[in-house]
Amino acid sequence: MVHNIWAVPLQLSNFNIIVSLLGGFISLFGLISYLLKENYYVSEAHSRTSIFIQCEGTRDWGSRPGINKTPRSLAYGENAVISLLVGVAFGPNGANFIRPRDYAECNHEGVSVIECRDNLNAITLNFSRLVLGVQLVLAGVQLPSKYLKKEWKSVLLLVGPGMTAMWITTSLLIWAFARTPSFLHALAVGACVTPTDPVLSAVIVKGKFADHNIPKDLQNLIIAESGTNDGLGYPFLFFALYLVKYVGSGAASGSAGDAMGLWFGFTWGYTIILSILYGAVVGWVGKKLLHWAEERNYVDRESFLVFAIALALFVLGTCGLIGTDDVLACFIAGNTFTWDDWFRLETKDDSLQPTIDMLLNVTIFLWYGAYIPWSHFGHNSVISTWRLVVLGILVLLLRRLPWVFGMHKWIPQIEEVRQAVFVGFFGPIGVSAIFYLFVSMEFIEEHLSDEDGVPRSDVKDLAETIRVVVWFLAVCSIVSHKLYASIFKFHLTLHKVVHGLSIPLGKMGYMAPRTFGRVLSDEPRAVEIRRRIPVLGKFLVGKPSDIESRCIQRTAIMPDPSDPHHPRSEAGTSSVNPLAAAAPSSAASQHEIKSEAITSAPCPRKREVQFPDEMQASRDD
């Protein structure tokens, strides 16, 4: 065929389209990523007694110290939701720039429907494995030295009784609303969504929201739980699947004894215990080798930083080759690799690992947005739409919250009721659920179907039930947990505002005239006070671009009640009339005047990115 040499050489291939879309989305999102994060997590409730600069403030949850003030990553919850929506917009249900069926060669001649489905399932399963493997190694690296050994009781409570209760509760809800022919089928579906997702859990253990609101020991507990229970989903899933195979109404041979033998011997022995031992050995050997190379200056900085990512890929691939639990092995390998805290402290301020992690997370949710069977939510043969919606709401409310709340008194890291509610509700369903979805589909195709791929009569709808319910619950969890993070932030702010209103009547009478006098004035001090009034401040405040006034260093109008100069403390230690104690003494007046001093020096927003020359200069200083 002769082509016109002057023709424009257009190459509208799938590779060029998807790479252009992915690079353009990440670039454009990156330009406003910090702005989006600020809009979601700005104005964290601060302690009234602490001096703070608004653009660099910190906040403890209650009176808990030790919150890490170093921003570590973008808001992962935003990345997940936005990436999912972009995947929908540019997928087959939108502009059709992302074409999963083309990548699976479904449109090629000679490719059957079953082959197309298998190719799509394999792509999504392996992509999910890759993201989980990298995420879990990095989660293991983030934990402090010997964390699993020191805090094994708390972790065991959450992954033992906690996971079991979550599994049974979710299965009962699925059995009631999906009306599966057997409770064993509901147990299989419930097992897929039992583990908490480590990718979505990053929204509360990474970034500004976590650093300002979640105690560090509670962050570590959430990391350890999500990493551990993600790999422990196998026993729950295969307990149900083995019983379906040998005890189900369509079983031709075998008994419950055969099912339990496989469950104890193969699932626990080969899949779980072997993966723990293998991950520990690989992590320990990797740590020793990296120590040896670093002491002799054999390894450069780039290879040192990427070593954990390479370890994740190695464990993921080798565990896949021998057919053991690669997800659990990756987490154990990461935690063993930093057992002595050396690697974690060396890479604590590095941004390479979070960057690679962010790229993988954005890409996987773009793929999910394009791949999710949206049409099946409204048109399927297993569950009606209204039942599916009610099921999603009840699973989010009852799957985890009651059980964590009931156990929180035995978990030292959870000291307050609101912390128990927070941890109880925040158990996201995401990438790990999709991973177990495809593991279940693979088992049905290989062990519950005939040679032609036709499922057994008693499980003919099981695959569709798992696909519809798990995908829908994952979408509900991705969206709702992002909204919950914003609602929780608003609750913290509202709680502090309400708490601030509970001041003595005499003190209010003393402060009110001066406060409203400043509000109605035009002094810079008045601008700051207006910002503290939730409603009026929006109308009386100056221009948003007034950076200097936004970043004025200030203290709370009300001094700390525990301060020895505070009038309330004086009233509490004397027999004077409480109303008379509202009048400030000379010492209190001097303290208040001193605390009201302001500094109008500009406070530029701290940049999260530090380049090597800047980091070296800061170390030299």
Side-chain angles (χ1 to χ4, degrees):
M1 180 183 295
V2 179
H3 295 276
N4 186 359
I5 196 171
W6 291 100
V8 178
L10 296 177
Q11 295 291 333
L12 302 179
S13 63
N14 288 324
F15 177 80
N16 291 336
I17 292 175
I18 193 64
V19 170
S20 302
L21 178 63
L22 181 62
F25 167 68
I26 294 177
S27 300
L28 293 176
F29 179 77
L31 294 176
I32 57 173
S33 58
Y34 193 85
L35 175 64
L36 290 176
K37 186 173 69 172
E38 288 294 304
N39 285 340
Y40 276 102
Y41 298 126
V42 75
S43 302
E44 284 84 0
H46 291 263
S47 174
R48 289 190 305 162
T49 63
S50 63
I51 299 176
F52 73 98
I53 301 176
Q54 186 165 347
C55 57
E56 291 184 314
T58 61
R59 188 236 183 232
D60 289 344
W61 191 344
S63 59
R64 299 293 300 276
I67 303 299
N68 185 4
K69 293 182 278 189
T70 304
R72 289 189 299 270
S73 68
L74 298 175
Y76 281 71
E78 294 169 11
N79 288 352
V81 175
I82 295 176
S83 301
L84 188 73
L85 294 177
V86 171
V88 175
F90 290 99
N93 296 301
N96 199 29
F97 290 154
I98 305 176
R99 308 168 186 143
R101 292 180 59 85
D102 286 359
Y103 313 146
E105 300 181 346
C106 294
N107 298 325
H108 289 199
E109 186 177 355
V111 177
S112 64
V113 175
I114 296 179
E115 291 174 336
C116 170
R117 181 197 62 193
D118 293 342
N119 291 341
L120 281 173
N121 292 350
I123 292 173
T124 310
L125 172 61
N126 290 319
F127 198 179
S128 302
R129 287 180 59 220
L130 174 63
V131 174
L132 284 174
V134 173
Q135 180 74 52
L136 288 171
V137 166
L138 296 182
V141 169
Q142 290 173 18
L143 292 176
S145 174
K146 303 176 182 177
Y147 184 84
L148 292 179
K149 180 181 179 181
K150 296 176 182 177
E151 305 295 341
W152 66 271
K153 292 183 180 178
S154 300
V155 176
L156 188 61
L157 272 176
L158 291 173
V159 302
M163 280 190 74
T164 304
M166 292 163 58
W167 176 45
I168 298 298
T169 303
T170 307
S171 301
L172 287 172
L173 291 173
I174 293 172
W175 191 34
F177 286 91
R179 296 180 177 179
T180 56
S182 170
F183 184 59
L184 292 177
H185 294 189
L187 287 175
V189 182
C192 295
V193 296
T194 295
T196 57
D197 185 56
V199 179
L200 292 176
S201 293
V203 73
I204 51 172
V205 297
K206 295 181 180 179
K208 185 176 178 180
F209 178 79
D211 294 337
H212 288 190
N213 295 286
I214 313 299
K216 187 62 180 177
D217 54 353
L218 194 57
Q219 294 182 34
N220 292 331
L221 179 64
I222 294 172
I223 293 174
E225 185 212 358
S226 64
T228 306
N229 72 9
D230 202 51
L232 291 177
Y234 273 96
F236 298 99
L237 177 62
F238 281 93
F239 178 86
L241 292 179
Y242 285 148
L243 286 177
V244 169
K245 176 175 175 58
Y246 290 105
V247 184
S249 59
S253 61
S255 63
D258 297 325
M260 292 299 98
L262 278 170
W263 189 65
F264 281 109
F266 193 82
T267 302
W268 279 105
Y270 187 82
T271 305
I272 300 298
I273 296 177
L274 178 61
S275 66
I276 293 174
L277 296 176
Y278 181 75
V281 170
V282 172
W284 184 84
V285 172
K287 179 189 69 173
K288 291 296 183 181
L289 290 176
L290 191 61
H291 263 296
W292 177 84
E294 198 271 339
E295 289 173 355
R296 291 162 176 77
N297 293 324
Y298 289 168
V299 59
D300 58 14
R301 183 63 178 172
E302 291 77 11
S303 299
F304 182 86
L305 295 176
V306 81
F307 196 87
I309 306 295
L311 188 69
L313 299 179
F314 176 78
V315 174
L316 192 69
T318 51
C319 285
L321 290 174
I322 62 177
T324 188
D325 188 351
D326 45 8
V327 175
L328 183 59
C330 283
F331 176 71
I332 297 298
N335 190 247
T336 308
F337 179 63
T338 186
W339 195 252
D340 57 358
D341 246 6
W342 172 66
F343 185 80
R344 183 180 72 89
L345 296 177
E346 287 289 328
T347 59
K348 186 176 182 180
D349 299 324
D350 177 68
S351 60
L352 176 62
Q353 294 174 6
T355 300
I356 296 176
D357 191 25
M358 184 271 292
L359 289 173
L360 288 175
N361 294 343
V362 167
T363 308
I364 188 67
F365 285 106
L366 275 172
W367 175 263
Y368 284 170
Y371 178 81
I372 291 175
W374 299 99
S375 60
H376 287 67
F377 297 156
H379 303 86
N380 62 80
S381 60
V382 293
I383 184 172
S384 60
T385 304
W386 75 267
R387 288 180 177 272
L388 194 60
V389 173
V390 174
L391 175 64
I393 296 173
L394 292 178
V395 166
L396 292 176
L397 293 177
L398 303 178
R399 162 179 166 264
R400 176 180 171 88
L401 177 58
W403 319 114
V404 174
F405 186 82
M407 296 188 301
H408 81 276
K409 293 184 179 181
W410 293 280
I411 302 176
Q413 292 83 355
I414 305 177
E415 297 184 348
E416 303 177 13
V417 172
R418 58 176 176 173
Q419 293 179 3
V421 174
F422 178 77
V423 177
F425 182 80
F426 216 108
I429 302 169
V431 180
S432 59
I434 307 307
F435 168 76
Y436 284 111
L437 182 156
F438 288 106
V439 171
S440 305
M441 303 280 287
E442 187 177 86
F443 184 89
I444 293 173
E445 294 172 6
E446 294 179 357
H447 302 287
L448 298 177
S449 304
D450 57 21
E451 296 180 355
D452 298 328
V454 179
R456 227 168 53 185
S457 59
D458 60 320
V459 296
K460 59 184 180 64
D461 294 328
L462 179 58
E464 186 176 6
T465 303
I466 295 176
R467 184 187 303 110
V468 173
V469 172
V470 173
W471 272 118
F472 184 80
L473 292 179
V475 172
C476 291
S477 182
I478 292 170
V479 175
S480 65
H481 281 89
K482 174 61 198 135
L483 295 176
Y484 176 66
S486 301
I487 294 172
F488 181 73
K489 184 270 300 182
F490 173 76
H491 164 74
L492 291 177
T493 305
L494 182 63
H495 174 78
K496 184 56 63 179
V497 171
V498 173
H499 180 69
L501 293 177
S502 60
I503 60 177
L505 180 61
K507 193 69 177 178
M508 181 183 297
Y510 172 72
M511 295 299 299
R514 299 174 58 194
T515 303
F516 283 102
R518 291 194 184 108
V519 167
L520 298 177
S521 68
D522 292 328
E523 298 176 1
R525 174 69 174 172
V527 175
E528 286 305 306
I529 296 178
R530 289 169 196 167
R531 286 187 170 86
R532 302 179 192 177
I533 302 178
V535 178
L536 294 179
K538 296 181 180 180
F539 300 97
L540 300 177
V541 73
K543 294 182 178 180
S545 59
D546 186 5
I547 299 177
E548 291 188 6
S549 63
R550 262 188 297 165
C551 298
I552 289 177
Q553 181 176 354
R554 64 187 186 272
T555 58
I557 296 178
M558 296 291 296
D560 187 3
S562 63
D563 194 301
H565 300 298
H566 192 278
R568 192 186 306 173
S569 62
E570 293 178 2
T573 56
S574 65
S575 58
V576 182
N577 190 326
L579 291 178
S585 63
S586 58
S589 300
Q590 293 176 3
H591 176 78
E592 192 162 45
I593 293 172
K594 190 183 299 181
S595 68
E596 289 176 359
I598 61 172
T599 303
S600 59
C603 172
R605 185 177 69 185
K606 183 177 180 181
R607 193 177 69 209
E608 295 189 16
V609 178
Q610 282 190 331
F611 296 98
D613 54 339
E614 297 173 330
M615 296 173 64
Q616 184 62 37
S618 62
R619 293 194 188 99
D620 295 340
D621 294 340

